[in-house]
Amino acid sequence: MSAIPKHRRPRRRATRVLAVAAGLATVGALAASLPASAGQDHPGGGSKGKHSRTVDVQLLSFNDFHGNLQPPAGSSGQVTERQADGSEKKIDAGGVEYLATSLRTTRKGNPYSVTAAAGDLIGASPLLSGLFHDEPTVEAMNKLDLDVTSVGNHEFDEGAKELARMQNGGCHPKDGCFEKGKGGKGKKFEGADYPYLAANVTDEKTGKPILKPYWVWKHKGVKVGFIGVTLEGTPDIVSADGVKGLKFHDEIETVNKYAKILDKQGVKSIVTLIHEGGVPKSQTYNYDCDSPGAGDGISGPITTIAKGITPKVDALVTGHTHNAYVCTIPDPAGKPRMVTSASSFGKLYTDTTLTYDRKTKDIVRTSVRSANHVVSREQAKAPDMTSLISRWDKLAAPVANKAVGYVSGDIPGRGAGVPESPLGDLISDAQLAHAKSIDPEADLALMNPGGIRSDIVYKASGSEGDGVVTYGEAFNVQPFSNTVNLVDLTGAQLVTGLKQQVSGSNEASPKILQVSEGLTYTLDMTKTGADRVVADSIKLNGKAIDPAATYRVAMNSFLAGGGDGFAELGKGTKPVVGSDDLKAFNDYLTANSSADKPIAPPKADRITIVK
């Protein structure tokens, strides 16, 4: 199952990248106390002179791109910037045409530069990439001169064999080659020029990593090692087929193991690319994460992991939570260490300066600086990326531009920012309607929030007209190809399932299920754990849930398999498998809307929230 990358392009050109971009912010209380000369730009493209002992290495990074080649629509394509007066400003950002320009501009004049990512570059992608099994995104990352990435949970959406194809190339085993090459034959997909790292993912039979566990960047005597891991809990949030035959290991133990191996090889400068993250206190990308003290502005799994990873690792590039932060979290020795994340969808990139000591071969930790930067849409587009998008768009257009429904206003989903979203209600209603077409006795539907990947936007994205929902826009909302499943659950099981939204593995970061019309209850966030779900408030069509009664419940195949920590929902009986969830959604839009009678945004008032 091992997949070794075939580097078809020359590795990093000597004329490329490194040194901090003008105006790069100094981050961290420790860095703020340094002398004015420490860690600043130096003549000679980031080096402190031709024969200097130290040289600045520019680390450019991003995460959770999710195939967003085109600028993300609505709130999914915005970042929030804190202004000098304390107010907040929304900025449109993202799109690979702009990300390429940002990275290339930042690299200019800097000879020591490396570009890395922290997983979920593919998977849950918009139609332009997802329709072609993310081959367009891998091609774009090659053009970006991405050097290395870790795997994320979404890299396993289609299983380990498909991930190996992303690395090594070859046409899709079922859909074949998507483009025509010379002589009319299928054009072979070349695969990634950059290595995917999966140190903590092993084959159950062999016990060996399914991909390279680490990679070493080398340039003019400078060596920086990269260790890549995904979150240990990946099997809990990916379909069972996607992780079949694989084992996922503890992040801290794995990184520490390979840090020792790199150290023995003489690689003392080490960066971990980890697809796990944290929750910042502020949603503004440029807030001070180290106020009032180092790492005080962030919580979540990454804080525990960062504090347990060996001091041999000099910086952590993280992801998964789609948040933006630049923090210094103390390592086990109490020494501040940079931990970064660049939001998602290519809206931000992180520029980190690592001062490399040629004598010790290690990073001078006190001089590490980092900041997130907006991928502005006001800059020029990269022509090669525009050409790439245009080429794949022509292939996708016949499918993508078909109208499937009409809406009278924006229907927020991924970007709603609240436990119950209008789009979540609409999808749940669509799944219940599909379930009733299979079994008229279907009672309710539940939808996992993570399965809603975008918003439905009223404004036209192309020539279809305002209020028109196209197949491509619907695909962007539900790209996973899950099926709508029907199962029997007792009332007691249903109540337990609802309580698992805020308890167990979901207690620290609740996953609030979206519910179909007729199911109502109160969520009291002033309480803790399972008690947040007020059991006697749960009603179906105005009647209290009977613990002993049996209810016919619709949900996607991911939830029906116990995904996202909903083990109780995975215990359903008398299963029936319906059509895929996207078809159910499209059928509902078509049947319940027209140009004259568009669907209005749902009120999202089924769950009463007590704060």
Side-chain angles (χ1 to χ4, degrees):
M1 193 178 291
S2 178
I4 305 300
K6 303 188 294 290
H7 295 302
R8 289 163 288 277
R9 65 176 168 89
R11 297 310 300 165
R12 188 66 72 215
R13 296 182 295 276
T15 56
R16 253 198 42 181
V17 181
L18 178 45
V20 177
L24 181 64
T26 299
V27 179
L30 186 64
S33 65
L34 292 174
S37 60
Q40 294 181 355
D41 296 343
H42 307 289
S47 172
K48 297 181 180 181
K50 185 176 181 180
H51 303 290
S52 174
R53 172 171 166 171
T54 62
V55 60
D56 284 348
V57 175
Q58 180 189 54
L59 171 62
L60 300 178
S61 60
F62 56 95
N63 51 276
D64 296 276
F65 185 74
H66 289 292
N68 278 262
L69 299 173
Q70 296 169 310
S75 58
S76 295
Q78 294 181 324
V79 293
T80 304
E81 183 178 74
R82 181 179 176 83
Q83 305 299 294
D85 62 1
S87 62
E88 297 181 357
K89 177 184 178 182
K90 297 285 188 181
I91 302 174
D92 291 334
V96 77
E97 295 161 296
Y98 303 108
L99 178 60
T101 297
S102 290
L103 294 178
R104 290 165 182 171
T105 299
T106 305
R107 291 169 181 153
K108 286 181 179 178
N110 300 300
Y112 293 86
S113 182
V114 57
T115 302
D120 275 10
L121 298 184
I122 59 175
S125 302
L127 183 138
L128 181 62
S129 186
L131 188 63
F132 306 106
H133 299 278
D134 278 312
E135 289 182 18
T137 293
V138 173
E139 181 183 348
M141 294 298 108
N142 287 344
K143 289 180 179 293
L144 278 180
D145 278 338
L146 178 66
D147 284 296
V148 61
T149 184
S150 67
V151 295
N153 54 288
H154 282 287
E155 265 79 21
F156 294 93
D157 283 348
E158 296 188 48
K161 288 184 178 180
E162 176 65 1
L163 175 56
R165 188 179 77 88
M166 292 291 99
Q167 180 71 88
N168 293 326
C171 295
H172 192 269
K174 291 184 179 180
D175 295 338
C177 302
F178 296 111
E179 295 185 290
K180 290 184 179 180
K182 294 181 179 180
K185 295 183 179 180
K187 180 181 177 182
K188 181 182 177 182
F189 169 58
E190 292 295 325
D193 286 347
Y194 48 90
Y196 273 101
L197 305 182
N200 67 330
V201 187
T202 59
D203 185 307
E204 284 186 343
K205 293 181 179 179
T206 67
K208 297 180 179 180
I210 64 168
L211 294 165
K212 294 180 69 173
Y214 61 86
W215 175 78
V216 180
W217 177 81
K218 302 175 183 178
H219 185 61
K220 293 184 178 180
V222 175
K223 296 181 181 180
V224 179
F226 289 85
I227 302 169
V229 297
T230 186
L231 68 156
E232 184 182 8
T234 291
D236 298 328
I237 53 178
V238 174
S239 66
D241 286 342
V243 295
K244 186 176 181 180
L246 305 178
K247 289 193 69 174
F248 292 77
H249 304 272
D250 181 84
E251 304 95 336
I252 297 173
E253 292 177 2
T254 302
V255 172
N256 290 351
K257 170 186 173 181
Y258 285 105
K260 287 182 180 179
I261 291 174
L262 284 169
D263 184 67
K264 288 181 180 179
Q265 293 178 1
V267 180
K268 307 296 183 180
S269 299
I270 303 173
V271 174
T272 290
L273 308 175
I274 177 168
H275 192 72
E276 179 60 289
V279 180
K281 288 184 178 180
S282 171
Q283 291 301 306
T284 57
Y285 79 89
N286 58 335
Y287 81 106
D288 185 359
C289 186
D290 288 337
S291 177
D296 286 343
I298 190 171
S299 60
I302 198 60
T303 58
T304 301
I305 293 171
K307 292 175 182 177
I309 286 179
T310 173
K312 293 180 185 296
V313 173
D314 298 294
L316 280 67
V317 176
T318 75
H320 188 53
T321 60
H322 289 206
N323 288 314
Y325 47 82
V326 176
C327 309
T328 52
I329 299 175
D331 66 17
K335 188 178 180 182
R337 176 168 54 193
M338 196 63 69
V339 179
T340 71
S341 176
S343 185
S344 61
F345 304 163
K347 294 179 291 188
L348 299 174
Y349 70 92
T350 311
D351 190 343
T352 301
T353 302
L354 303 172
T355 299
Y356 182 91
D357 187 320
R358 291 184 182 275
K359 184 175 182 180
T360 65
K361 300 181 181 180
D362 207 349
I363 299 300
V364 183
R365 191 86 68 81
T366 55
S367 66
V368 174
R369 298 181 300 157
S370 189
N372 278 324
H373 298 275
V374 178
V375 177
S376 170
R377 297 183 197 169
E378 294 182 359
Q379 62 187 317
K381 297 179 180 180
D384 59 335
M385 294 300 180
T386 301
S387 177
L388 180 150
I389 289 173
S390 177
R391 199 179 85 242
W392 288 101
D393 196 38
K394 287 179 181 178
L395 292 175
V399 175
N401 296 335
K402 180 182 178 182
V404 296
Y406 301 84
V407 296
S408 63
D410 289 348
I411 305 182
R414 186 77 175 183
V418 291
E420 179 186 0
S421 71
L423 187 52
D425 285 359
L426 184 61
I427 291 172
S428 299
D429 289 346
Q431 293 194 1
L432 179 57
H434 178 71
K436 283 183 175 294
S437 72
I438 300 170
D439 183 351
E441 299 300 315
D443 293 303
L444 61 108
L446 303 172
M447 175 65 192
N448 61 307
I452 304 170
R453 306 304 298 185
S454 187
D455 306 325
I456 293 294
V457 180
Y458 177 77
K459 185 178 180 181
S461 59
S463 60
E464 74 274 12
D466 291 346
V468 179
V469 182
T470 65
Y471 182 91
E473 291 167 336
F475 184 99
N476 293 348
V477 170
Q478 291 195 279
F480 292 110
S481 297
N482 289 313
T483 55
V484 178
N485 291 16
L486 268 168
V487 297
D488 278 357
L489 293 173
T490 65
Q493 286 179 309
L494 179 58
V495 172
T496 298
L498 291 175
K499 288 188 173 184
Q500 287 176 338
Q501 300 174 107
V502 289
S503 62
S505 61
N506 293 330
E507 183 167 1
S509 182
K511 292 183 175 69
I512 307 305
L513 297 168
Q514 310 299 284
V515 300
S516 57
E517 187 174 10
L519 184 65
T520 59
Y521 70 96
T522 297
L523 189 64
D524 189 348
M525 299 305 289
T526 66
K527 297 181 179 179
T528 59
D531 290 340
R532 290 175 172 177
V533 174
V534 182
D536 59 8
S537 73
I538 306 173
K539 297 180 180 180
L540 182 62
N541 300 321
K543 295 183 179 180
I545 294 294
D546 180 354
T550 298
Y551 296 86
R552 197 70 171 146
V553 182
M555 65 188 84
N556 62 35
S557 49
F558 174 67
L559 277 179
D564 264 355
F566 292 97
E568 199 68 21
L569 300 184
K571 298 177 182 178
T573 58
K574 297 182 180 179
V576 173
V577 178
S579 297
D580 70 81
D581 52 7
L582 177 59
K583 183 179 187 303
F585 185 50
N586 288 343
D587 287 350
Y588 185 83
L589 292 174
T590 301
N592 292 278
S593 70
S594 65
D596 296 331
K597 294 183 179 180
I599 290 176
K603 296 180 180 179
D605 58 358
R606 299 166 189 179
I607 305 173
T608 300
I609 309 293
V610 178
K611 298 181 180 179

